[in-house]
Amino acid sequence: MVKKEDFMMKKTAIATANIAFIKYWGKKDEVLHLPANPSFSMNLDACFTITTVEFSPEYKKDTLEIVGEMTDEEEINRVSQHLDRFRKLAKTNLFARVVSKNSFPKSTGVASSASAFAALSAAAAGALGLSLSEKKLTIVTRLASGSACRSVPEGFVEWLEGTSSKTSYAHSLYPHDYWDLRDVLVIVAKNKKKVKSTVGMKIGKKTSIFYQARVKRAKVLIGELKQAFERKDLGKAGEIIEEDCINTHCVMMSSYPPLFYWLPVTFDIIRSVGEWRRQGVAVYQTVDAGPNVHLICEKDTVGKVLRKLERIEGVEKIIVNKPGRGVVLSKKHLF
Ligand code: PMV
């Protein structure tokens, strides 16, 4: 019999970050990691993580290196815990070396957990020779980071809330080339966010009087957003995306202690977007758990949006994203 150790147990995967149009903010089951509402996102082709994972009997512990960045104990433990899920499936105790590289350094303040855990999952599963279906891969990835499960499938993705671990998974609603949308990602702060999403969600569920109302509304909005996508109706889709963004941030801000992820420049851009629309520029905004603003528009509007942004003070960097593909394996390893 050929033992697993006889194969080269090394694989590399590339996964993109995603922007939530209907957001995940709170769990209905902390143990099973089930979200309170289904969510909807677009993969971001220019914001990606490449990760190489190698399992070997020579490794005495799991190690993590993020090229050009510092890693801390907490990150290594999170990666190790996630690898345990794959070790369990493959019935192995082998440790792994993990090397990862982000196209958008942590210093940009863009959350990398979605792309990082989607890439880690696919590389780890591949390296251990596990042939998991995409659905199963999203389920396992969900356990590491909720939003990461949406970076596994292609293009525009829905994560179903489910009633059990097996029924809470992500699937592609439309391929990346379904609609030539753009996410003009406006980076306004280079610092890492202070309050982690998982912590923020728990505080929100416990203390915000708007928490349940927002969850209820998000379940309605996701249905309406799917209809708007069917018609490629940016006006309606944009209105829905903005409503869920504001509703979610109302929950964050009305939590105790309050979570203010926005900076003055974030608010400046949000207010300007409404004004730009009145001037005929079809662009809509959304913000995740941080101060950076995602401006959603169609391809032909990008130039106008970039010109408008020139007048905003405090913009550090702009990344224009197309709808991205799902996670893929690559033959080029990082080590
Ligand atoms: O999956 P987490 O723990 O990184 O939380 C994601 C939270 C938001 O980005 C604000 C919303 C979302 O659905 O991506």
Side-chain angles (χ1 to χ4, degrees), residues 18-27 37-41 78 111-114 117 142 144-150 159 193 196-199 201 214 244 248-249 252 261 287-290:
N18 65 73
I19 176 64
F21 291 162
I22 298 294
K23 300 190 191 296
Y24 152 54
W25 196 252
K27 295 184 181 68
N37 62 272
S39 50
F40 184 134
S41 59
R78 230 177 131 192
S112 60
S113 70
F117 281 105
R142 186 193 89 230
S145 157
S147 59
C149 76
R150 293 190 315 242
W159 169 19
K193 64 177 179 251
K196 289 210 156 51
S197 313
T198 331
V199 179
M201 289 179 201
R214 185 252 143 205
D244 187 59
T248 307
H249 282 271
M252 295 163 173
Y261 285 113
V287 182
D288 271 347

Side-chain angles (χ1 to χ4, degrees), residues 25-27 30 194-211 251-259 261:
W25 196 252
K27 295 184 181 68
E30 291 285 340
K194 289 194 191 82
V195 181
K196 289 210 156 51
S197 313
T198 331
V199 179
M201 289 179 201
K202 276 191 194 160
I203 303 175
K205 185 175 177 180
K206 249 194 182 153
T207 62
S208 168
I209 58 160
F210 302 122
Y211 178 84
V251 172
M252 295 163 173
M253 291 183 202
S254 56
S255 299
Y256 193 81
L259 286 169
Y261 285 113

Side-chain angles (χ1 to χ4, degrees), residues 146-267:
S147 59
C149 76
R150 293 190 315 242
S151 284
V152 173
E154 143 94 1
F156 299 92
V157 178
E158 177 184 33
W159 169 19
L160 302 166
E161 58 175 299
T163 50
S164 64
S165 195
K166 282 188 181 152
T167 52
S168 185
Y169 63 92
H171 67 114
S172 179
L173 287 172
Y174 302 101
H176 71 281
D177 53 2
Y178 171 72
W179 191 357
D180 227 354
L181 288 180
R182 293 291 180 271
D183 174 346
V184 179
L185 168 53
V186 189
I187 292 160
V188 297
K190 293 190 168 180
N191 297 329
K192 233 179 126 179
K193 64 177 179 251
K194 289 194 191 82
V195 181
K196 289 210 156 51
S197 313
T198 331
V199 179
M201 289 179 201
K202 276 191 194 160
I203 303 175
K205 185 175 177 180
K206 249 194 182 153
T207 62
S208 168
I209 58 160
F210 302 122
Y211 178 84
Q212 294 300 347
R214 185 252 143 205
V215 165
K216 197 172 159 206
R217 182 75 182 140
K219 291 182 184 185
V220 174
L221 289 178
I222 195 167
E224 291 181 9
L225 183 59
K226 283 192 217 169
Q227 285 170 16
F229 259 71
E230 275 305 307
R231 302 191 305 271
K232 294 190 186 164
D233 178 348
L234 182 63
K236 186 65 192 169
E239 194 184 305
I240 295 165
I241 291 167
E242 290 199 340
E243 183 184 335
D244 187 59
C245 168
I246 303 295
N247 291 349
T248 307
H249 282 271
C250 281
V251 172
M252 295 163 173
M253 291 183 202
S254 56
S255 299
Y256 193 81
L259 286 169
F260 299 116
Y261 285 113
W262 296 357
L263 290 173
V265 57
T266 312
F267 196 50

Side-chain angles (χ1 to χ4, degrees), residues 32-212:
L32 297 178
H33 293 250
L34 304 182
N37 62 272
S39 50
F40 184 134
S41 59
M42 176 177 113
N43 286 340
L44 304 177
D45 82 323
C47 299
F48 56 89
T49 302
I50 308 175
T51 299
T52 301
V53 177
E54 181 180 47
F55 289 89
S56 164
E58 280 169 25
Y59 299 139
K60 302 295 167 230
K61 59 176 186 167
D62 294 323
T63 57
L64 168 69
E65 187 196 326
I66 305 178
V67 179
E69 293 177 26
M70 299 291 281
T71 50
D72 58 32
E73 227 18 62
E74 199 187 325
E75 277 171 319
I76 298 170
N77 289 341
R78 230 177 131 192
V79 164
S80 213
Q81 275 169 20
H82 194 49
L83 292 174
D84 284 344
R85 299 183 175 109
F86 294 94
R87 280 189 276 255
K88 202 172 159 196
L89 289 169
K91 299 189 177 54
T92 179
N93 290 321
L94 292 177
F95 289 113
R97 176 178 176 199
V98 179
V99 178
S100 202
K101 202 176 166 190
N102 293 317
S103 72
F104 52 104
K106 241 191 245 168
S107 55
T108 55
V110 178
S112 60
S113 70
S115 53
F117 281 105
L120 179 68
S121 297
L128 289 172
L130 293 165
S131 49
L132 306 181
S133 63
E134 180 187 273
K135 179 176 168 182
K136 177 74 181 173
L137 194 61
T138 72
I139 290 171
V140 185
T141 306
R142 186 193 89 230
L143 302 173
S145 157
S147 59
C149 76
R150 293 190 315 242
S151 284
V152 173
E154 143 94 1
F156 299 92
V157 178
E158 177 184 33
W159 169 19
L160 302 166
E161 58 175 299
T163 50
S164 64
S165 195
K166 282 188 181 152
T167 52
S168 185
Y169 63 92
H171 67 114
S172 179
L173 287 172
Y174 302 101
H176 71 281
D177 53 2
Y178 171 72
W179 191 357
D180 227 354
L181 288 180
R182 293 291 180 271
D183 174 346
V184 179
L185 168 53
V186 189
I187 292 160
V188 297
K190 293 190 168 180
N191 297 329
K192 233 179 126 179
K193 64 177 179 251
K194 289 194 191 82
V195 181
K196 289 210 156 51
S197 313
T198 331
V199 179
M201 289 179 201
K202 276 191 194 160
I203 303 175
K205 185 175 177 180
K206 249 194 182 153
T207 62
S208 168
I209 58 160
F210 302 122
Y211 178 84
Q212 294 300 347

